[in-house]
Structures are given as structure tokens and as C-alpha cells.
Amino acid sequence: MAKLTFASLAFNATQTPVSEQFDDIYFSTQDGLAESYYVFQEGNQLWQKWQDHTRSAFIIAETGFGTGLNFLAVAEKFQQFQQEHPDSPLKRLYFISFEKFPLTANQLADIHQLYPQFAKLSQQLTAYWQPRQVGCQRYHFEQVYLDIWFGEMAENLEQLGDSYNGLVDCWFLDGFSPDKNPEMWNTGLYQAMFRLTQNGGSFATFTASSAVRKGLQAVGFDVKKRKGFGKKREMLWGEKPQESLSAISQYPYFYPNHSASCDDIAIIGGGVASLFLAYSLLEKGKKVTLYCQDEQVAQNASGNQQGAIYPQLSDDDERNVRFYVHSFDYALQRLKKLAQAVEFEHQFTGVALYAYNEKTAQKLAKMAQQDWDHSLYQLYDAKKLSEKIGLPVQNGGAFISQGGWLSPIQLVQNGIAYLQNKGLKLFLNHQVTELTWQQNAWQWQQGGEVFRHSVVVLANGHQLKTFKQTDGIPLYPVRGQVSQVPTNTALSALKCVVCYDGYLTPVSASETHCIGASHLRDNADMAFSLAEHQQNIAKLQQNLTACDWTLNIDNSENKGKVGIRAAFRDRVPMVGSVPHFAEQKRQFQNLYNQLRRKEPLKQAENYTNLYLIAGLGSRGLTTAPLLGELLASQICKEPLPISQDILHALSPNRSWIRQLLKGRKVE
């Protein structure tokens, strides 16, 4: 697991921050903010470009986030632009930056005090700033989106992938100077910039280095000089020629042909995935309608009174772990933001992973060797873990201090009501069973009425496969019954969620606890089971042996909630365009040999404007926020908040493409 190294920071005689790794200043000792405006905003003619922009989003990429000064200056300027041009088609700004050696939240806050005009933006950023691993972390500032790609820039530029080809409008080339940081200023960077930049897109940089100028010219940029900032004699800026050829897709079998209009979007579902997808789409200015087959939303797996939220860590699957940690960090940000407007019971008081047997203890110890920050994962002995849990336990385990629990049913029901006030349309008791593509829209009939939408998203859990278009998706149902029991004197002392071969939540406002959950694969029966109810209690007592507080639990009320989860064998969800299985099987039947012979490949055949979010399993609270934002970004053809390798792992056609890549036949 690649780990981050934080910046080693010092200050010179003028109190300008200095990187001890590169022995270079973060910004001009003369006036760092004025330099940012002159070199990057004026150098890229930003204000004029915003006025002339015809698309809904403008995308800036920056080499070196540093103190965040360039971002703060641009974010404030964009907010000013929105106020002065409310009718402009340009509604959103994406600021994509790369940082190998991030500063801490406290260091950022201290430096930002020099710029009180950015106080609100700085507070928003530092409140959620907690770099934990390499890859992308997205931060929200109303209509400004900040994507920080932590780690080696060369690796991250590659991980932007095919979906970013020709997407960037302008570049801020702002790494430490070429003589101090030659690893950054190289042909690989310039080639990636050219691939990622829109035709007509620009760059600006403080340096006038001949090596940089020649490197940018060599890959195809038109490079020019202008007067440098302050005492600097010259700086460089330039553009990608309008007639430049489009970059060739590196992984066409994972990327669909471009879809049509995407302004009118229907979501078929009614759970936590639907909530967060609608949330992200509405933020991006889309018209969204939700169709739910039940009398009320959150009636299936999202209908539990309490559910745990924490990342699914592993000792044997590095890519999946990165996905779940990204999801967890993003979920914390989105949930805390949503909690300011939506009432739902929640406590982020931690999650204890109990070593209930030797095998589990070894696994938890092995995961600790991944050297996570203690805010994410820390091993404890029995005494310390007992203090965290609030009740005595016999064995040690691990503790995820920022995890916790929330009420899924309250989150979804109150969240959907909140989004209705933001423009979401909701149809209840509306079951969609058949979709037809006609006249550039998906349509179906209900009660003699025809419903039409330019885009449809299937977020209906285990019922995804009721549509003929989802043929080939290897999803299966998992029945899970959660028991609800009244609290007692002992259980009321529980401070956090305890996970074993099941889980137990702290007491809720209704004076109850949830104990879960049964796990019956390929079972979609919704009837309450007394046997599963009793097994949930028994499993708690069997896993936490010699813990008297697990005894005397009153299960006589026989209260429980049955939910049917949807899952995949490889333990991660699916998100993206619905693949046309028959067409892709024909299209890529000889994929192995075509790649070996380096033959050109066409983009994957998917159903036009039909998407899915599926297979969230028991981790929906953790993954739904990021999956919703990811799919909303895909639909809007805007920057994606995740690396290409994880995106491929989430792809709806991954199961058969993996077989074809190995030269195997797919039936």
C-alpha cells in the first residue's frame, strides 16, 4: 500500500513558507497572492475565458497544490464571476491539483491566516482535510469542486485515464522550480498535459526555462513569452492548437460511446444509492425524478433503524481497500454537510473490530501492518478496547475512531424530503418493469400514462435484473435480517459499534439496539424469521464469550427488519453505463489477440443513456455518497473523483472483460 509523506515545512526571514524537501519557497516573497493572480489567472486569461465559455463546467488542472493559495484565489474569483454573471451557461468550476507532499490541516490554516479574505473557503477546506492515502479526494465548495490527487504526480496523471482526454481547459504549471524539482518538469508531464487538454486550452507558468519551453513545444503546444511577475524578466504561457487530433482511448473496452443529452434524469430506486445520486445530480443543475415502487422510500435494505459506517479494510486486496477508504473519507464529508440540513440520528463515536477468534486476530494484526493513520485504524489490547467500547471484553482488536452509526431510514426519508425542496420529483407506488428506447428517450407505461426521460439510472438493488437490458450482470440477492432489542442497564453503557461475526450498535433515541445480521445468499424472501432473530442474539453471545453484558438480552418482542441486499463475488459495487452484453461479447470476442497484435478497438457498446448503481451489499452507507458523485460526474461528462484502475474495478462489464482479456471465451 503506497503511503503519503507529508511536507517538511519551514519559514524564511520574510515568513514565506519553504519546502525543506525541495529547498524552495511555496510562493513569491514579494507578494504570493499578486503572483498567483498575475501568472495563472491573467496568464490563462481566465476572466475572459469564463465570459466566453459555452459549457456548464470549466476545468483547471494544477501541478502542485502546496499551500492552496492558487485554489483559494481562483475559487473566490469564480464566486465573484457567478455573482456578476448569473445567466452565464458556466455554472461549475473544477480545480484538479496534484500534491506529493501535502501539508497538514493545521499548517494550511496557519498559512491561510495571512489571507483573511479567504477565511470561509479555508475553514471549509481544513474542516475535512485529512490526506490518508494516494489517489483522489474531492472537496465541495458549493459550485466549486476541488480534486486533490495525493502521491506521485506521474502515476496520478496516468490514473486520470481515458475519461479525462481533452477535458482540461487550462493548466497552472506551479511545481517547485525546474532546477529544484526536475522530476516533475519532464516529457511525461508535457505529454499528459497535451492529452488531457481541450483543443484551444491553455497553460501558464512562472518559469521561462528554455528546457520547459522546448519540452512543451515538442509535444505540440504553441508556447509564448510574456513579462514575468515582479523582478522576473519573463514567464511562459501557451495553447493547444485548435486542430489537434483527439487522444486515442487506452482502454476502449471499459469506455462507452458518447451519450446524448442528459438534462432530464430518472432514477429507479428508493434507497441510499438513489438519495446520494439525486443529491449530486441536483447540485450539477439536472432535472431529477425518482420512481419508487413502495408506498414510501427506504423500505428495503436502506430501511434499518441503525447501520454502521466504516471502511471495509482487508489484508489481501489493495485496490478494494483504496476504494473503501476513499469512499469512507468522502462519506464523512457528505454526511456531515447533509446533517446541517437534514435530521437523522447519528453518532461518529467509533467502530470496534473485535478479535473474537485467533484467525480474526491475525487478520486484524496484518491489516495494522499497512501502517494506517491512527485516526483510521489502530490495534488495541483488551483493556484499551474495553475502554473504547464502554463495556468489558476479553480480547483485543482494532478501532476505527472516525466510524460510527446512523439511522439509514431517517437519512433516506428525510434526505429525499429535503431534495424535494431542491427540485426533486418523487413518484411512489410506481413500479417500472420494462424500458424502451424510442425517439432519443427511455420510456415506459404506468396506469395508461407514458413516462419519458432522456436518461435512466437503475438503482433498484437486487431487482436490477428484472430488466432485459441488464442481461449478463452477475448480481445476486442476499437476505439479511437485523434484530432490534430494547436496551438494559448493561447495554446502555455501550459507546460505539462493535463488529464481530455480526454487529451491535449503541442505544438509539428509541431506547433500542440493532443486532445484525443474517446472511443468506440467493435468498430474496422478505418474511420475518424467528430462527434468524434468535441466531443473531446467539452469535453475539458466542463471539463475545465470557462477557456477562451479552446475557439477559430481551428478544421476546421478536422485532426485526428484513432487507435484501445486492452483491457481487468480487466484493465491490458496480457503477456506470449499462453494457450491451450481446454486442460487447461479439465486439470483443477476440480481445486478447487484438491487444496482442495492437489492433485498433472501438469504444464499448452500451445502452444509450442507461446507467446503474448496484451491489452495495452491506457497505451502502459508506459507498453510496462516492458512487452517487461518480455516476453524476459520468452522466454530466465532468471530472471523475476516482482513479482509473478503481473505475475499471467498478465497471459493469468487468466480469466478462476480465475473461476476454485472459483469452477465455464468454458464454
Side-chain angles (χ1 to χ4, degrees):
M1 188 79 69
K3 291 300 168 189
L4 286 180
T5 302
F6 282 82
S8 180
L9 186 68
F11 291 87
N12 64 15
T14 63
Q15 291 305 297
T16 301
V18 177
S19 166
E20 292 186 331
Q21 274 104 342
F22 294 100
D23 187 28
D24 199 4
I25 55 176
Y26 277 94
F27 46 73
S28 169
T29 56
Q30 190 173 344
D31 188 334
L33 183 57
E35 178 188 39
S36 179
Y37 286 134
Y38 178 83
V39 172
F40 300 113
Q41 294 194 29
E42 293 178 31
N44 280 292
Q45 302 171 326
L46 270 193
W47 193 266
Q48 186 62 50
K49 285 186 176 181
W50 290 347
Q51 288 179 309
D52 299 338
H53 205 65
T54 57
R55 298 183 301 278
S56 57
F58 190 90
I59 299 154
I60 297 172
E62 175 193 50
T63 58
F65 184 74
T67 65
L69 185 59
N70 290 334
F71 166 71
L72 296 174
V74 169
E76 185 198 46
K77 189 71 73 173
F78 185 74
Q79 291 171 345
Q80 179 187 339
F81 173 82
Q82 288 185 302
Q83 291 172 358
E84 295 184 17
H85 299 84
D87 298 325
S88 169
L90 175 56
K91 302 298 183 185
R92 291 177 299 286
L93 173 69
Y94 286 85
F95 193 95
I96 301 165
S97 191
F98 302 87
E99 184 54 62
K100 182 178 180 180
F101 300 111
L103 298 171
T104 66
N106 288 337
Q107 288 171 329
L108 289 174
D110 288 344
I111 294 169
H112 294 170
Q113 287 180 358
L114 299 171
Y115 306 97
Q117 64 269 47
F118 303 139
K120 184 178 179 181
L121 287 166
S122 175
Q123 288 166 5
Q124 285 180 267
L125 175 61
T126 54
Y128 299 111
W129 182 268
Q130 191 170 39
R132 265 200 261 257
Q133 64 174 353
V134 300
C136 181
Q137 187 67 35
R138 174 163 290 181
Y139 302 91
H140 291 255
F141 304 82
E142 303 303 331
Q143 293 305 303
V144 177
Y145 295 71
L146 171 63
D147 285 354
I148 304 287
W149 288 77
F150 295 110
E152 288 282 357
M153 191 173 68
E155 296 173 5
N156 281 325
L157 281 168
E158 184 178 338
Q159 286 297 336
L160 262 62
D162 292 349
S163 62
Y164 278 81
N165 288 345
L167 205 62
V168 176
D169 290 290
C170 75
W171 287 82
F172 293 4
L173 279 177
D174 193 31
F176 293 109
S177 63
D179 59 329
K180 302 278 189 178
N181 186 20
E183 287 186 9
M184 191 200 88
W185 303 86
N186 59 39
T187 301
L189 167 64
Y190 309 142
Q191 290 173 337
M193 285 175 58
F194 197 79
R195 170 177 68 86
L196 300 168
T197 305
Q198 294 254 5
N199 286 4
S202 65
F203 73 86
T205 178
F206 61 87
T207 186
S209 162
S210 61
V212 172
R213 173 175 55 81
K214 291 175 182 177
L216 288 163
Q217 287 173 331
V219 299
F221 283 103
D222 290 335
V223 184
K224 305 166 189 177
K225 292 181 180 180
R226 66 188 288 247
K227 183 187 178 304
F229 174 75
K231 298 177 181 178
K232 278 185 172 287
R233 189 163 59 90
E234 293 176 322
M235 58 164 278
L236 301 176
W237 72 283
E239 295 175 310
K240 180 177 179 178
Q242 286 284 0
E243 65 277 9
S244 301
L245 296 175
S246 298
I248 297 173
S249 177
Q250 190 177 2
Y251 298 97
Y253 40 86
F254 278 128
Y255 291 89
N257 291 310
H258 289 295
S259 301
S261 170
C262 63
D263 290 328
D264 176 23
I265 300 166
I267 303 172
I268 299 171
V272 68
S274 300
L275 167 68
F276 281 101
L277 174 61
Y279 186 22
S280 288
L281 287 169
L282 289 167
E283 286 180 327
K284 298 180 196 302
K286 300 303 178 183
K287 177 184 175 184
V288 185
T289 308
L290 176 61
Y291 295 92
C292 178
Q293 68 177 11
D294 302 312
E295 294 182 355
Q296 203 172 9
V297 295
Q299 295 305 292
N300 186 31
S302 297
N304 290 332
Q305 294 298 320
Q306 293 176 284
I309 175 169
Y310 63 102
Q312 183 171 325
L313 302 177
S314 167
D315 61 347
D316 62 358
D317 198 327
E318 182 263 350
R319 185 176 57 191
N320 282 12
V321 169
R322 282 192 287 118
F323 164 66
Y324 280 109
V325 174
H326 282 313
S327 295
F328 178 63
D329 286 340
Y330 186 77
L332 292 179
Q333 179 188 168
R334 294 295 261 174
L335 287 166
K336 289 174 182 177
K337 177 69 173 177
L338 203 54
Q340 297 173 15
V342 177
E343 288 190 15
F344 59 95
E345 199 175 354
H346 61 281
Q347 291 180 6
F348 294 108
T349 52
V351 173
L353 307 180
Y354 185 61
Y356 59 93
N357 59 27
E358 184 60 30
K359 182 179 177 181
T360 304
Q362 291 174 359
K363 183 174 182 178
L364 294 176
K366 194 173 179 181
M367 281 156 36
Q369 293 172 7
Q370 296 168 356
D371 196 28
W372 292 106
D373 182 269
H374 286 173
S375 65
L376 181 71
Y377 184 90
Q378 187 171 8
L379 284 181
Y380 284 126
D381 61 20
K383 180 180 179 182
K384 188 65 176 178
L385 195 64
S386 296
E387 292 175 6
K388 293 293 184 181
I389 291 173
L391 290 164
V393 293
Q394 300 298 307
N395 302 332
F399 193 68
I400 299 174
S401 64
Q402 293 181 327
W405 68 269
L406 58 82
S407 172
I409 191 168
Q410 293 176 17
L411 171 68
V412 175
Q413 290 183 351
N414 295 344
I416 292 295
Y418 167 71
L419 294 185
Q420 285 181 270
N421 292 329
K422 297 291 185 180
L424 175 69
K425 290 181 66 176
L426 174 63
F427 287 84
L428 297 170
N429 297 307
H430 189 111
Q431 187 165 13
V432 184
T433 57
E434 187 175 358
L435 293 169
T436 305
W437 178 257
Q438 289 185 357
Q439 298 176 331
N440 293 320
W442 288 102
Q443 67 178 42
W444 65 90
Q445 290 191 0
Q446 175 84 302
E449 184 178 355
V450 177
F451 293 81
R452 290 173 51 86
H453 295 274
S454 61
V455 175
V456 169
V457 180
L458 306 178
N460 56 338
H462 73 285
Q463 295 180 325
L464 175 85
K465 296 190 69 172
T466 58
F467 299 95
K468 65 179 182 182
Q469 289 86 359
T470 52
D471 179 43
I473 303 294
L475 176 142
Y476 58 86
V478 178
R479 171 190 162 88
Q481 181 173 298
V482 176
S483 299
Q484 195 172 341
V485 299
T487 194
N488 57 39
T489 302
L491 289 180
S492 64
L494 185 64
K495 294 179 181 179
C496 67
V497 177
V498 180
C499 294
Y500 41 95
D501 187 21
Y503 66 88
L504 170 68
T505 61
V507 64
S508 69
S510 61
E511 297 292 308
T512 59
H513 302 262
C514 283
I515 304 176
S518 59
H519 183 98
L520 282 76
R521 182 172 169 172
D522 296 317
N523 188 323
D525 182 5
M526 291 291 290
F528 174 82
S529 166
L530 179 59
E532 290 173 44
H533 178 58
Q534 294 171 339
Q535 287 164 8
N536 284 339
I537 312 299
K539 189 183 294 183
L540 168 66
Q541 295 167 344
Q542 291 163 5
N543 284 180
L544 282 88
T545 55
C547 295
D548 293 344
W549 54 270
T550 66
L551 307 176
N552 303 317
I553 292 175
D554 180 5
N555 64 351
S556 61
E557 295 180 4
N558 294 336
K559 291 180 66 176
K561 172 71 176 69
V562 178
I564 310 301
R565 305 186 188 102
F568 298 104
R569 288 179 62 87
D570 55 5
R571 300 178 295 179
V572 288
M574 281 186 179
V575 61
S577 295
V578 175
H580 196 304
F581 179 47
E583 284 298 312
Q584 287 199 15
K585 190 165 62 170
R586 176 195 58 78
Q587 187 180 11
F588 299 124
Q589 60 183 324
N590 200 29
L591 180 60
Y592 177 81
N593 287 321
Q594 286 178 293
L595 289 173
R596 190 167 55 86
R597 297 168 190 153
K598 298 183 179 179
E599 295 176 1
L601 294 167
K602 292 183 178 179
Q603 302 290 101
E605 287 291 338
N606 289 357
Y607 288 98
T608 304
N609 284 12
L610 184 62
Y611 299 86
L612 63 80
I613 296 182
L616 280 65
S618 61
R619 290 290 182 272
L621 294 177
T622 303
T623 61
L626 183 58
L627 293 173
E629 178 67 16
L630 171 59
L631 185 54
S633 299
Q634 284 182 313
I635 292 171
C636 298
K637 302 177 184 67
E638 294 178 359
L640 308 184
I642 207 158
S643 60
Q644 180 169 250
D645 67 333
I646 296 177
L647 182 67
H648 292 174
L650 302 174
S651 177
N653 69 350
R654 68 191 187 227
S655 56
W656 60 79
I657 289 295
R658 285 172 184 166
Q659 298 301 310
L660 293 167
L661 287 169
K662 295 174 182 176
R664 298 174 184 168
K665 191 173 182 180
V666 174
E667 299 297 334

